[in-house]
């Protein structure tokens, strides 16, 4: 996360599903959150920083939440204060089918140039795109 000199890590190891690594101090901080994430499989998703939203975005395909992206907003003190969670919802007619057993990892991305999020769910499916504009 630029400006924080930190890495946001999704992991099922912690109850909140995420932690922050302070690159300067080389310390790990378990995050607390307020709100409910739409992304329920944090250990199998690819969090991405979105400067325009000042948030970390995360997507995990499951039947109930394929049209939602979870946003984690860094608070004033990101190491100790709770991170507010909000959700972006998209109306889509065509969406990825079935959860990938091993997660999305690097196949979920944000494109500043295109103004939205994309996901390559499977090699035999199209690239799905969620526009912010």
């Amino acid at each position: 996360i630029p400006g924080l000199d930190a890495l946001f890590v999704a992991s099922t190891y912690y109850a909140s599903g995420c932690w922050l690594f302070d690159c300067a101090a080389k310390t790990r901080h378990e995050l607390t959150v307020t709100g409910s994430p739409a992304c329920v499989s944090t250990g199998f998703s690819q969090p991405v920083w979105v400067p325009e939203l000042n948030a970390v975005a995360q997507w995990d395909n499951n039947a109930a939440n394929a049209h939602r992206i979870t946003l984690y907003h860094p608070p004033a003190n990101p190491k100790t204060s709770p991170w507010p969670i909000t959700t972006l919802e998209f109306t889509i007619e065509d969406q990825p089918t079935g959860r990938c057993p091993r997660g999305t990892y690097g196949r979920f991305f944000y494109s500043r140039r295109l103004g939205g999020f994309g996901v390559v769910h499977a090699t035999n499916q199209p690239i799905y795109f969620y526009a912010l504009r």
Side-chain angles (χ1 to χ4, degrees):
I1 300 174
L4 293 182
D5 195 20
L7 299 173
F8 181 95
V9 181
S11 170
T12 55
Y13 183 77
Y14 289 113
S16 67
C18 51
W19 51 279
L20 191 73
F21 179 76
D22 183 329
C23 298
K26 296 177 180 58
T27 55
R28 179 174 47 185
H29 305 273
E30 180 176 4
L31 300 181
T32 56
V33 297
T34 57
S36 298
C39 181
V40 295
S41 186
T42 56
F44 298 99
S45 62
Q46 173 68 43
V48 295
W49 176 250
V50 182
E52 289 78 8
L53 300 175
N54 192 40
V56 174
Q58 199 171 24
W59 178 86
D60 177 48
N61 182 36
N62 61 59
N65 294 308
H67 62 288
R68 293 182 177 101
I69 294 173
T70 299
L71 298 176
Y72 294 84
H73 303 275
N77 188 339
K79 297 175 194 172
T80 58
S81 298
W83 287 52
I85 292 177
T86 60
T87 302
L88 291 176
E89 295 202 24
F90 299 90
T91 303
I92 53 175
E93 293 177 18
D94 189 25
Q95 64 187 24
T97 58
R99 172 180 276 154
C100 292
R102 301 210 188 272
T104 57
Y105 295 103
R107 299 179 309 198
F108 171 68
F109 60 91
Y110 172 74
S111 172
R112 175 181 263 175
R113 183 175 177 187
L114 296 175
F117 300 93
V119 65
V120 179
H121 184 63
T123 58
N124 61 352
Q125 293 184 17
I127 296 173
Y128 296 91
F129 189 76
Y130 304 98
L132 284 176
R133 299 178 192 156

